[in-house]
């Protein structure tokens, strides 16, 4: 069974204080690893897809990286508007995504 | 941009009522999904559909059914709502095995 574990559960940052979120996974035959951002009371918003170890993708202050066992979401010089829950999901052999429980990031001004 | 819409943002229903949640996507995606999201449990797949009139059970199908009569529309049905079905319901769509795009969610409260 696919397993996805995100850590930490919650992260409180000062504005400008860079940090990283971890997503470790166990899956047979990874087809893709997805990062989403979710604001309170809203649906997840797609950020990145990573397909193979060594791949990196960037968007504004966010950078996602992938190894064979885990992915990191690096937040560089965060701003209060980066406060959200970040979800990681893995896709194995079919359409199904297995999600982690998420990391809730709070950035204080 | 992909747009996935859900018929209601908030719903309050009574135990035993039949509940319909509707989802519409405008990108001609063949795949559509229904998830529920509960604190500490993450997103769990209820059902998905890979074509019109086709459906497959996800991880937690009990107490739910689905209908897909048109490609752009996927309905989740709670035959007899129970309090343990109080949750946030999220619809998603995708093209093939590509990225799933989510709707805004429906927060359902069953009293």
């Amino acid at each position: 069974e696919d397993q996805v574990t995100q850590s930490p559960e919650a992260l409180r940052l000062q504005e400008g204080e860079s940090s990283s979120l971890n997503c470790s996974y166990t899956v047979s035959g990874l087809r893709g690893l997805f990062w989403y951002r979710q604001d309170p009371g809203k649906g997840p918003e797609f950020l990145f897809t990573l397909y193979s170890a060594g791949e990196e993708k960037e968007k504004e202050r966010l950078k996602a990286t992938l190894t064979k066992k885990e992915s990191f979401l690096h937040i560089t010089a965060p701003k209060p508007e980066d406060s959200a829950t970040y979800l990681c999901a893995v896709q194995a052999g079919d359409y199904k995504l297995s999600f982690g429980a998420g990391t809730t990031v709070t950035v204080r001004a | 941009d992909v747009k996935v819409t859900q018929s209601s943002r908030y719903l309050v229903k009574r135990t035993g009522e039949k509940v319909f949640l509707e989802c519409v996507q405008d990108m001609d995606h063949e795949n559509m999904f229904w998830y529920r999201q509960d604190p500490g449990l993450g997103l769990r797949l209820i059902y998905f559909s890979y074509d019109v009139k086709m459906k497959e059970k996800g991880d937690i199908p009990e107490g739910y059914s689905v209908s897909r009569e048109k490609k752009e529309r996927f309905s989740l049905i709670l035959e007899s709502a129970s309090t343990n079905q109080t949750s946030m319901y999220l619809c998603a769509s995708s093209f093939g095995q590509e990225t799933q795009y989510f709707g805004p969610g429906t927060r359902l409260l069953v009293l």
Side-chain angles (χ1 to χ4, degrees), chain B residues 10-104:
Chain B
Y10 302 96
L11 273 180
V12 181
K13 297 292 181 180
R14 297 278 179 194
T15 302
E17 278 192 78
K18 191 169 186 176
V19 182
F20 293 88
L21 304 181
E22 192 167 75
C23 175
V24 178
Q25 50 93 7
D26 68 354
M27 282 301 292
D28 204 34
H29 286 167
E30 63 262 29
N31 301 323
M32 296 187 75
F33 307 81
W34 275 107
Y35 293 87
R36 65 177 282 177
Q37 184 177 31
D38 301 288
L41 296 178
L43 275 80
R44 294 178 291 168
L45 183 64
I46 304 171
Y47 267 99
F48 72 97
S49 169
Y50 51 91
D51 201 351
V52 175
K53 297 190 186 295
M54 307 303 289
K55 62 185 179 185
E56 282 200 25
K57 293 180 180 179
D59 297 321
I60 51 164
E62 297 79 18
Y64 303 95
S65 62
V66 291
S67 172
R68 193 164 179 205
E69 298 296 319
K70 293 185 178 181
K71 191 174 184 179
E72 68 271 17
R73 198 176 298 266
F74 191 34
S75 299
L76 179 70
I77 303 153
L78 287 65
E79 296 289 342
S80 178
S82 65
T83 55
N84 63 12
Q85 292 179 309
T86 290
S87 187
M88 173 72 135
Y89 289 88
L90 291 161
C91 174
S93 72
S94 75
F95 177 73
Q97 293 178 333
E98 302 297 320
T99 301
Q100 292 184 22
Y101 294 91
F102 285 84

Side-chain angles (χ1 to χ4, degrees), chain A residues 2-109:
Chain A
D2 302 341
Q3 287 199 326
V4 182
T5 303
Q6 291 189 246
S7 61
E9 289 185 18
L11 190 59
R12 293 175 66 85
L13 301 172
Q14 201 66 35
E15 185 173 4
E17 178 189 359
S18 301
S19 189
S20 296
L21 285 55
N22 178 264
C23 172
S24 62
Y25 62 90
T26 305
V27 64
S28 299
L30 179 73
R31 294 189 68 91
L33 184 140
F34 301 81
W35 282 99
Y36 290 85
R37 170 196 168 119
Q38 187 174 25
D39 293 308
K42 297 188 177 180
E45 174 189 345
F46 170 69
L47 293 173
F48 305 109
T49 308
L50 302 167
Y51 293 104
S52 57
E55 190 174 359
E56 299 182 351
K57 288 196 177 169
E58 284 188 69
K59 179 180 179 180
E60 295 180 359
R61 295 176 293 282
L62 301 177
K63 179 179 176 180
T65 62
L66 181 65
T67 72
K68 288 188 177 179
K69 293 186 177 181
E70 58 191 351
S71 176
F72 291 94
L73 184 66
H74 307 279
I75 310 178
T76 301
K79 298 181 178 182
E81 53 263 41
D82 295 321
S83 297
T85 295
Y86 292 86
L87 301 173
C88 169
V90 297
Q91 184 179 51
D94 54 16
Y95 309 107
K96 181 182 171 184
L97 289 182
S98 296
F99 281 84
T103 295
T104 300
V105 175
T106 304
V107 183
R108 294 168 290 175

